[in-house]
Amino acid sequence: MITLESYKKQFNILYVEDDVLFTPKIKYILEKSFKSVLIASNGEEALELFKINKIDLIISDINMPKMDGLTFLKKLRELHNDIPFIFLTARQEANTIIDAIQFDISNYILKPIDLKNFLSIVDKSVKKSYKKYIEIEKKYIIEIDTEFFWNQKTKTLSKNNLPIKLTKKELLLLELLLNCNNKVYSISEIACYLWDEDSGENDYVANLKNIISRLRNKIPEINIENVYGLGYMIKITK
C-alpha cells in the first residue's frame, strides 16, 4: 500500500493568486513535498489549467482580476464536485467564506499568510484525500502476507510498498492465480490465459515451467504450489 509520503509525491496542486512577489515563494515551498505546483493569477486562468491538467488540490485567493475566487469555485463545482479547495482570505471577507461553504470548501487560510499555519492546513487536506484514496484502493488490494500485496487495478506486485519488476507473462500468471483465493488452475486454463491461439506458442508446458521458475527465483517468499495432476495455485492463509 502506498505511503502518505509517496502519495504526496504524486499530488498536483493548483495555486491561484495574483501576488507576483509572494507566489514564487509558496510554489518553491510546496514543490519540496508535492509532485507539481501549477500557478494561475486569476480564476479564468485557473479554470483553463484545471481543464487540461490532473489537479488534486486547489488553493485560491478570493479577490483577483478577470475572475474572482468565488466565481471560479462556482464554475469549478460544475465540472468537479469533490476536488479539495482551500481559500486564501482576509478577515473582512468573512461573508464570502460563508457563501463559499455551500460549494464545499475544505478549509480557509487567513491573510497575511503564516507559513506554519498554511502548511498545516494544506497537510490536513492532503491527509484527508489520502484516507479516501486508501479506502478506494483497499477494494483492489490482495494481501498475500504482511510484506506482499497484489493490486488488482494496477496489476502490480509490491513488497513493503515497493513495486517488484516483472515481465508481462509473469504478471499475467500472478493475476490469474490470485484471482480466486486458493483455487487450483489447470495447465490448460493457464495456457489459455497467457497465450492466445494465434500467438505461435506451441510448447505451453515448457514455457509455463520457465515462467514459474523465474517467479520462484524473483519472489521465493510467495509459494506457487504445484498440485500434482491438477495444476498450480498460490495459497493465501489470511
Side-chain angles (χ1 to χ4, degrees), residues 30-48:
L30 290 174
E31 282 180 335
K32 290 182 177 181
S33 300
F34 301 99
K35 180 182 178 181
S36 70
V37 182
L38 299 177
I39 301 297
S41 60
N42 58 69
E44 193 174 278
E45 286 181 13
L47 200 60
E48 291 306 310

Side-chain angles (χ1 to χ4, degrees), residues 47-65:
L47 200 60
E48 291 306 310
L49 283 173
F50 178 81
K51 289 177 181 178
I52 59 174
N53 294 277
K54 178 186 177 296
I55 305 296
D56 302 297
L57 170 67
I58 296 173
I59 305 168
S60 175
D61 196 10
I62 292 179
N63 287 323
M64 297 179 293

Side-chain angles (χ1 to χ4, degrees), residues 69-121:
L70 185 58
T71 304
F72 167 50
L73 174 60
K74 290 176 181 178
K75 290 183 176 293
L76 174 74
R77 288 300 181 230
E78 293 174 2
L79 301 173
H80 200 298
N81 290 326
D82 300 324
I83 187 165
F85 193 105
I86 299 172
F87 258 138
L88 304 174
T89 177
R91 292 185 184 278
Q92 63 267 28
E93 296 169 333
N95 288 335
T96 304
I97 292 297
I98 292 171
D99 292 338
I101 288 173
Q102 64 180 306
F103 295 100
D104 192 24
I105 60 171
S106 306
N107 213 323
Y108 66 91
I109 299 170
L110 287 175
K111 299 175 75 175
I113 293 174
D114 175 83
L115 280 177
K116 185 176 180 181
N117 180 59
F118 174 88
L119 293 173
S120 175
I121 289 174

Side-chain angles (χ1 to χ4, degrees), residues 119-214:
L119 293 173
S120 175
I121 289 174
V122 170
D123 199 48
K124 285 179 182 177
S125 183
V126 173
K127 285 179 179 177
K128 188 175 180 180
S129 294
Y130 175 68
K131 286 179 181 178
K132 288 182 180 178
Y133 169 82
I134 291 299
E135 287 303 312
I136 293 172
E137 285 298 297
K138 280 180 179 177
K139 299 176 184 177
Y140 303 102
I141 298 297
I142 295 175
E143 183 179 355
I144 301 172
D145 63 20
T146 55
E147 292 184 338
F148 287 90
F149 295 88
W150 172 256
N151 189 314
Q152 293 175 300
K153 184 171 69 172
T154 61
K155 295 178 174 55
T156 54
L157 178 71
S158 61
K159 179 182 181 181
N160 296 325
N161 295 315
L162 296 174
I164 297 172
K165 189 174 181 180
L166 299 170
T167 68
K168 181 180 177 181
K169 287 290 191 289
E170 289 166 356
L171 287 170
L172 282 172
L173 178 58
L174 283 178
E175 180 182 28
L176 180 64
L177 296 181
L178 292 169
N179 183 54
C180 188
N181 189 21
N182 299 332
K183 176 181 175 180
V184 179
Y185 286 88
S186 68
I187 291 175
S188 61
E189 286 177 311
I190 297 172
C192 287
Y193 195 77
L194 267 61
W195 298 280
D196 55 53
E197 292 179 358
D198 300 322
S199 67
E201 295 284 349
N202 294 314
D203 193 349
Y204 292 127
V205 175
N207 280 289
L208 177 57
K209 286 182 177 179
N210 184 40
I211 293 168
I212 292 172
S213 178
R214 294 202 310 265

